[in-house]
Each structure stands twice: as C-alpha cells, then as structure tokens.
Amino acid sequence: KVTTASVSINEIIDEIISQHFYIKGTNEINIKKNLSVDEVQSDGLRLKIILNNLLSNAIKYSDEKKEKRYIAIKTYTKGEFYKIEIEDNGIGINKEYQVKIFEMFFRANEKVSGSGLGLYIVKEAVVKLGGTIRLNSEPGIGSEFIVEIPCL
C-alpha cells in the first residue's frame, strides 16, 4: 500500500548524505543539488529507499582516480511526472551488465561487497509509486539514473 504525504526531497537527500559521511572519501565528493522540485506528494518511505540506494551506490562506486569527483542531483517536473536525476562521474557500469542491473541478486562489481538487492529494491519501490527508472552509463565516465514518478 502506498501512503502519500507531503515530503521534502531536499531533507531526505541531506539526511542520506549525513548518514554516509563516515564512509572514507565521501567528504571529497562534491555533491551538487539543483532541485526545482522539493515538496512532493508521495510515499516518503519509498522515496527514501530510492534515494538512499542510488546515492549510496554513487558514493560507493565513485572513482578515486578522478581528481574532481561529483554527484549531481536534479529534480524537476515534466508533464504529469516528477523527475529525479542522479548523475555521477564514478566508475560506471559495463554495457553488458546494464540490462541486468535491476535484477534480484545481480552484482555488476565483484570487488565491492553487497547483496545485489539495492537496485532491485529501488526498481520495486519506483514501480509501486507508478513510476519508471532508467540508466545511462559509460564505464570509466560515470552513471546517471533517471527516476520518474507521477505527480499526485
């Protein structure tokens, strides 16, 4: 069941970032926010799950070889949808893995520990909200996740 209330995307993002601050190197990542939409009518818990997984992956898979690392978060409205874009210049995801990335237990990177459930849970949460999620990624360049959820 989806429970809707007024939710601040900015507050959720700030909370998630402060929870990840203890991870080595997080303070070296420039986090840019461009939020045209902040207050949304949505399921706060599901939004938190989506943003937490996407942001923690962006932090976990940031590219330490790059001098200027960043995560850019952008929100806006397009037609009947809220759009949330999370872009980074991390290690990126190989093309052959991109189709499987939202499958249960799939892990694109063996070097980093994880259950392979994060993006599966994100996808489930997005679908429950009536939305979609897509990925653009280039190995060595970075990734961008685009989440669309209906305005309620």
Side-chain angles (χ1 to χ4, degrees):
K1 184 179 165 313
V2 174
T3 319
T4 60
S6 184
V7 183
S8 163
I9 293 176
N10 191 39
E11 278 176 27
I12 293 174
I13 290 168
D14 285 349
E15 189 182 312
I16 292 166
I17 290 165
S18 67
Q19 287 167 355
H20 285 80
F21 212 72
Y22 67 91
I23 298 171
K24 185 180 167 292
T26 302
N27 58 342
E28 293 159 21
I29 301 170
N30 179 12
I31 296 172
K32 304 183 243 188
K33 291 190 287 188
N34 176 1
L35 311 181
S36 302
V37 174
D38 178 16
E39 291 290 327
V40 297
Q41 288 296 315
S42 191
D43 183 320
L45 186 62
R46 287 201 170 90
L47 256 187
K48 232 175 233 181
I49 289 167
I50 293 163
L51 288 165
N52 188 40
N53 275 296
L54 293 177
L55 288 171
S56 69
N57 278 355
I59 292 167
K60 203 191 300 184
Y61 299 108
S62 86
D63 189 343
E64 291 175 9
K65 292 188 216 74
K66 291 184 182 143
E67 196 180 316
K68 289 188 162 63
R69 296 185 277 159
Y70 73 86
I71 298 169
I73 307 150
K74 188 173 165 188
T75 62
Y76 56 98
T77 311
K78 189 171 183 190
E80 302 290 299
F81 290 90
Y82 297 124
K83 306 247 307 190
I84 303 169
E85 297 177 3
I86 297 180
E87 181 196 329
D88 64 57
N89 64 343
I91 60 172
I93 300 162
N94 288 333
K95 284 276 181 268
E96 69 266 25
Y97 297 147
Q98 291 181 24
V99 289
K100 297 180 175 169
I101 203 84
F102 297 109
E103 288 175 15
M104 194 186 290
F105 305 127
F106 181 77
R107 290 176 51 218
N109 188 325
E110 295 304 318
K111 291 187 203 85
V112 179
S113 68
S115 60
L117 287 173
L119 289 175
Y120 171 75
I121 291 167
V122 166
K123 172 101 179 186
E124 292 292 295
V126 169
V127 169
K128 283 265 188 327
L129 294 176
T132 59
I133 182 166
R134 1 185 229 106
L135 161 71
N136 297 320
S137 187
E138 286 292 326
I141 294 171
S143 301
E144 178 187 37
F145 285 89
I146 298 137
V147 176
E148 265 190 352
I149 52 174
C151 302
L152 299 172

